[in-house]
Amino acid sequence: MADTATAQEFDILVLGGGSGGYAAALRAVQLGFSVGLIEKGKLGGTCLHNGCIPTKALLHSAEVADSARSAEKYGVKATFESIDLNAVNAYKDGIVAGKFKGLQGLIKAKGITVIEGAGKLTGENTVEVNGTTYTGKNIVLATGSYSRSLPGLDIGGKVITSDHALTMETIPSSAIVLGGGVIGCEFASVWKSFGVDVTIIEGLPSLVPNEDASIVKNFERAFKKRGIKFNTGTFFDKVEQNDDGVKVTLVDGKTFEADLMLVAVGRGPVTDGLGYDEAGITLDRGFVITNERLHTGVGNIYAVGDIVPGLQLAHRGYQQGIFAAEEIAGLKPVVVEDVNIPKVTYSEPEIASVGLTEKAAREKLGDDKVETQEYNLAGNGKSSILGTGGIVKLVREKDGPVVGVHMIGTRMGEQIGEAQLIVNWEAYPEDVAQLVHAHPTQNESLGEAHLALAGKPLHG
């Protein structure tokens, strides 16, 4: 991290150096503002050090392990021996260290003043750090989130969060994952590839409950095929642990036992004790309430990222950080609704989606105003080469634009860029159908789906 600041007055003070905070800082200096960036930990925040980057490194190690196991299927004679977790961690930590060093260099090169320490909002234009008061004509709150637990469920011993799961030194023989959302399913996927007997417990009726029903159906089928067990529709009651492991009891009396339990029930906002209440900022269950332009309603104070209700995604934080800086500069940036922000679950298989699900579209537009189209990856050459199944599902307003794209399959997250453009630019299937998609790529599946929805399926 850069040297502690000597200047105490800035055009913009950013409280938090994670995805949203450092994006706001970088865009602000581009726009000619002086910026103070306050961070008590490491620049990059959860995403770089305890979230996106290290978890995806683990997922890549898991993919390599699965490839080694199935090598003979592709005509390669190889023997899978074991997972060397120390080496996996060294690989993961090396990726994080490299990105951290690069970010530190970038922040320093751009002339952003880094203020080390825990900041507390003390007024409409002031933040106190280690006894020193810093002033900002504008303030951007970007204090991020933490791994939540449930009432009565204490973290410790054999009950861990994703933070602990990233630093494990041994691989358990069995694990229970409490929570079937993105984080829970990603760790379940990694651990299964590492040879762990995994069971997911999800209180809602399905895994990844925020995804389109067709995607959920395919995802659960794929997890069952992989041998990942899950129990949905019944909530957690209690957990007991001893030297041998954990015993989890659900409200219906059903019990599960394993070496450890990962609690993956979502993330809470880091706002407690930071002076937000005292400054008059409205909080709801700890989240900072803003208007659509990310203003808190107090002075020149904005909020971005995980502390703002909605999707808790690094790229949403980036976008909001850039938005806040441009809003302060008077550039009137375009508001991007959460529904039009892409989402990816980086498990095996991957889920990638943007826009309205079929259910949400029917609720918003009416049953008779929605058309859907599913394209099976069995018809895609590159998917067959990779040995993956799955679908691309399109949701369209009848005689109108595509309002949702939902995909599942190995590496399908790489297709979300075009899908985001389609939805955000309100493209019609007929518009996309005339675009040329390189062959053979999985990207062709998007083209084929739009051809079919436009009434001219190529292979259907």
Side-chain angles (χ1 to χ4, degrees), residues 239-303:
V239 61
E240 303 163 87
Q241 61 173 301
N242 55 38
D243 291 341
D244 296 325
V246 296
K247 179 180 179 181
V248 178
T249 304
L250 306 187
V251 293
D252 62 1
K254 190 180 296 184
T255 61
F256 300 85
E257 296 185 25
D259 290 346
L260 59 79
M261 181 173 78
L262 169 67
V263 179
V265 292
R267 298 184 64 83
V270 176
T271 56
D272 189 39
L274 298 183
Y276 296 177
D277 267 330
E278 293 84 345
I281 292 171
T282 302
L283 301 177
D284 181 8
R285 295 168 297 154
F287 289 97
V288 176
I289 303 304
T290 71
N291 64 13
E292 69 170 5
R293 307 202 71 78
L294 302 179
H295 190 266
T296 63
V298 176
N300 292 322
I301 302 176
Y302 297 80

Side-chain angles (χ1 to χ4, degrees), residues 96-111:
V96 172
K99 294 299 178 185
F100 179 42
K101 183 178 180 180
L103 178 59
Q104 287 177 301
L106 179 62
I107 294 294
K108 183 177 181 179
K110 296 298 183 181

Side-chain angles (χ1 to χ4, degrees), residues 300-334:
N300 292 322
I301 302 176
Y302 297 80
V304 304
D306 286 0
I307 61 172
V308 178
L311 297 174
Q312 292 180 312
L313 299 169
H315 46 280
R316 174 180 181 256
Y318 294 145
Q319 185 272 334
Q320 290 187 337
I322 294 168
F323 183 100
E326 293 183 349
E327 181 72 3
I328 291 169
L331 299 182
K332 299 181 180 179
V334 175

Side-chain angles (χ1 to χ4, degrees), residues 78-158:
T79 302
F80 176 80
E81 295 183 7
S82 64
I83 300 293
D84 182 345
L85 192 55
N86 288 332
V88 169
N89 285 332
Y91 155 69
K92 164 181 63 69
D93 295 342
I95 297 294
V96 172
K99 294 299 178 185
F100 179 42
K101 183 178 180 180
L103 178 59
Q104 287 177 301
L106 179 62
I107 294 294
K108 183 177 181 179
K110 296 298 183 181
I112 296 168
T113 301
V114 176
I115 303 165
E116 298 182 12
K120 182 176 181 179
L121 190 64
T122 53
E124 291 186 3
N125 298 100
T126 56
V127 177
E128 183 180 297
V129 185
N130 298 331
T132 300
T133 295
Y134 297 88
T135 301
K137 296 175 184 176
N138 302 274
I139 292 177
V140 177
L141 307 177
T143 42
S145 62
Y146 67 94
S147 296
R148 280 198 308 115
S149 186
L150 295 174
L153 178 56
D154 296 326
I155 303 299
K158 297 182 182 298

Side-chain angles (χ1 to χ4, degrees), residues 185-239:
C185 287
E186 287 185 352
F187 273 100
S189 185
V190 168
W191 284 345
K192 183 62 182 178
S193 297
F194 285 0
V196 181
D197 182 12
V198 183
T199 301
I200 302 172
I201 296 172
E202 170 56 56
L204 295 177
S206 72
L207 300 181
V208 288
N210 293 324
E211 297 293 344
D212 186 88
S214 298
I215 299 298
V216 171
K217 181 179 178 181
N218 276 265
F219 187 73
E220 291 187 341
R221 184 188 304 130
F223 261 32
K224 285 179 181 178
K225 187 176 181 180
R226 290 189 62 194
I228 297 174
K229 300 185 288 291
F230 50 90
N231 189 95
T232 58
T234 306
F235 285 96
F236 161 88
D237 181 37
K238 64 179 180 178
V239 61

